[in-house]
Amino acid sequence: MVRKLCRIFGVALFGLLLGACDDANDRNQLAVYLCDSPADYGGVDCYVESVEVRSGGEWIAMEVPSRYFAMMELVNGKMQEAGRATLPSGGRYDAVRIGFATEGNRLVIAGESFPLAVSESDAEVVVEFPAVTMDGPDRPLLFDLDIASSVVEDATAESGYRFRPQVEFVDVEACGAVQGGFQIGSAAVQSRLWIRFTDWATGEVRSTYCALDPAGAFFMRLLPGEYTLEVIPGRGTTAAPYSTRLSVERRQVTDLGTIVLGTNDL
């Protein structure tokens, strides 16, 4: 079932469009949000030191409301604000610069926590986006941190892992989305299920996990097209693999409802 964006994007995306407008006395606020493209880790916790926005070649510091980001928790459309600034009317902005901390970052694998090294040369990321002009409405901007390509094995690091943040701008105006939920037989999902989306035209693969609260829920932003959705059960779940074909349209949500997965014996 496909429903209009403005009716059901809710917290997942419409909340982003409204999130910077919660103070009627504050106009021309630009807000930067991070979301996550998860990978097969138990957790990736990082700290943001600074966020700046570029105008005319000059960098303007933004307020950072919270330094701590538990990136693997940003699933099911969840996002976290990284920076915010009230800017002059008429200003034109075309890039953000995000500074990550070089210490305190952690990686969790199979329940074990490891320090995640970040070098000075990798800590700062500049991401350009189509220029926006501040002319009254507040503007939210969304950026995706790709965990799978950001965490790399490196024998020179203390734990053998290094963080090289790979961040890209998400044009929510160009995207549609898929949402739904899983249950396993008659039981609720109790461990994360890996969900993979493959574009039929390009072969490009995007993936995420379902949430555990609410159990089994998922939401994924995708460019318009035809996709195969696959569920790839991990260790510790009785869920059977599952796949289906679906269509994504711009600024609309393809709502798959509740999908009941078959079961396999462990």
Side-chain angles (χ1 to χ4, degrees):
M1 180 194 308
V2 175
R3 291 185 270 180
K4 291 295 183 181
L5 170 71
C6 63
R7 295 177 58 189
I8 66 169
F9 256 33
V11 173
L13 192 142
F14 196 51
L16 170 66
L17 300 178
L18 297 180
C21 307
D22 52 8
D23 186 343
N25 296 320
D26 253 332
R27 306 297 289 169
N28 276 351
Q29 283 198 348
L30 188 69
V32 170
Y33 293 84
L34 287 179
C35 63
D36 176 24
S37 291
D40 193 16
Y41 300 113
V44 177
D45 301 333
C46 61
Y47 289 84
V48 171
E49 293 283 12
S50 63
V51 180
E52 299 165 285
V53 62
R54 187 175 67 189
S55 178
E58 300 293 327
W59 290 101
I60 300 167
M62 307 182 81
E63 179 185 353
V64 178
S66 175
R67 295 180 59 244
Y68 172 65
F69 285 76
M71 295 304 303
M72 289 293 292
E73 301 302 317
L74 300 185
V75 297
N76 192 31
K78 186 177 179 181
M79 61 203 75
Q80 183 174 335
E81 185 178 316
R84 180 184 291 262
T86 301
L87 300 169
S89 180
R92 188 173 173 84
Y93 304 89
D94 62 2
V96 297
R97 183 163 64 187
I98 303 172
F100 291 89
T102 56
E103 297 181 349
N105 308 289
R106 306 293 297 180
L107 175 68
V108 179
I109 301 176
E112 187 175 357
S113 180
F114 300 92
L116 187 56
V118 183
S119 66
E120 293 284 352
S121 61
D122 292 327
E124 195 171 87
V125 179
V126 174
V127 187
E128 296 185 344
F129 53 84
V132 300
T133 301
M134 301 303 294
D135 54 6
D138 295 346
R139 297 294 295 268
L141 299 172
L142 182 61
F143 297 86
D144 186 349
L145 176 60
D146 187 343
I147 293 297
S149 59
S150 297
V151 177
V152 297
E153 294 187 24
D154 184 346
T156 67
E158 175 188 355
S159 65
Y161 294 93
R162 187 170 295 280
F163 189 45
R164 294 191 174 116
Q166 305 297 310
V167 184
E168 65 178 17
F169 172 69
V170 180
D171 184 355
V172 295
E173 291 292 329
C175 292
V178 180
Q179 71 175 15
F182 297 110
Q183 66 183 56
I184 303 172
S186 60
V189 171
Q190 296 183 350
S191 60
R192 294 185 304 184
L193 299 173
W194 184 262
I195 311 164
R196 184 166 63 195
F197 299 85
T198 304
D199 188 319
W200 277 52
T202 66
E204 182 178 356
V205 176
R206 297 286 307 278
S207 60
T208 188
Y209 283 112
C210 70
L212 296 181
D213 182 19
F218 68 92
F219 178 96
M220 188 71 178
R221 299 175 188 84
L222 296 166
L223 291 173
E226 299 289 321
Y227 292 84
T228 296
L229 177 157
E230 298 172 274
V231 177
I232 305 169
R235 296 184 298 273
T237 177
T238 61
Y242 170 87
S243 67
T244 189
R245 183 170 178 174
L246 55 90
S247 297
V248 175
E249 299 179 38
R250 179 179 175 269
R251 288 184 60 82
Q252 294 187 0
V253 174
T254 301
D255 185 2
L256 301 180
T258 300
I259 298 170
V260 179
L261 302 176
T263 59
N264 284 330
D265 293 332
L266 288 175

